[in-house]
Amino acid sequence: MTERHDTASIEADAEVPLIRITRDFAASPAQVLRAHTDPDLFERWIGPSDVTTRIDHWDARSGGSWAFTNVREGEECRFHGCFHEVSPLRIVQTFTFDGWPDGVSLETLTLTDLGDGRTRLVATSLVDSFEGRDQWLASGMEVGVNDGYAKLDDLLASLD
């Protein structure tokens, strides 16, 4: 395990019901993309530290779809979506929590090469209302984001 992990910046947009997450990683854009598109890698880092993730379906390509289940103390939460675009520096996908099927978000993940082996990830989640956005923000999502990205730091350090 690495000794220090950065914290993601999580911001609510004032103009549209959007959440913006920004985080830098000590890895190339290709490595960060691989960790988001390879199901074996993705399930190792996504979500809070006390959650185990199981990939149920994964087709990470433009036009593909995905589904995974988070398990915590025997309780399961399922998520699914569609990949609209998967390219070397960008992923556009939908994201739905099965427990809230009307709460679909459109997510865009953009990777910027900062040079010197570092990448900036900016992820935006656009939801259908400010109320929905505020529910996400109040859900404790920052724990899952920061725990997951700390695990991603460790995973990226182990990739060749």
Side-chain angles (χ1 to χ4, degrees):
M1 298 277 281
T2 55
E3 288 184 25
R4 182 180 168 279
H5 298 292
D6 294 325
T7 301
S9 165
I10 301 173
E11 303 170 323
D13 191 289
E15 303 294 321
V16 294
L18 180 132
I19 298 168
R20 181 175 296 103
I21 300 170
T22 305
R23 175 74 150 64
D24 292 353
F25 293 94
S28 70
Q31 290 171 313
V32 177
L33 180 75
R34 181 177 165 214
H36 281 80
T37 57
D38 180 320
D40 295 327
L41 298 179
F42 186 81
E43 72 181 359
R44 290 171 51 190
W45 69 265
I46 193 68
S49 296
D50 63 344
V51 167
T52 301
T53 299
R54 177 184 70 237
I55 300 296
D56 301 315
H57 168 74
W58 201 262
D59 184 13
R61 63 176 176 83
S62 296
S65 60
W66 60 269
F68 67 83
T69 302
N70 282 346
V71 181
R72 175 188 286 141
E73 298 178 4
E75 183 178 328
E76 295 188 348
C77 294
R78 291 180 178 82
F79 305 87
H80 71 276
C82 298
F83 290 106
H84 292 264
E85 176 188 340
V86 177
S87 62
L89 297 176
R90 191 167 105 135
I91 298 172
V92 179
Q93 65 184 34
T94 57
F95 180 92
T96 304
F97 166 48
D98 287 4
W100 188 20
D102 295 335
V104 178
S105 68
L106 179 64
E107 301 192 335
T108 302
L109 177 112
T110 304
L111 304 173
T112 302
D113 189 341
L114 300 176
D116 200 28
R118 295 195 57 81
T119 297
R120 174 158 299 142
L121 175 151
V122 176
T124 59
S125 296
L126 178 64
V127 299
D128 64 349
S129 69
F130 287 99
E131 295 80 14
R133 182 205 63 196
D134 294 345
Q135 284 181 315
W136 274 44
L137 291 168
S139 73
M141 67 174 277
E142 71 279 356
V143 172
V145 168
N146 285 309
D147 282 3
Y149 285 164
K151 292 185 288 184
L152 180 54
D153 276 332
D154 294 331
L155 177 64
L156 292 168
S158 73
L159 294 179
D160 46 3

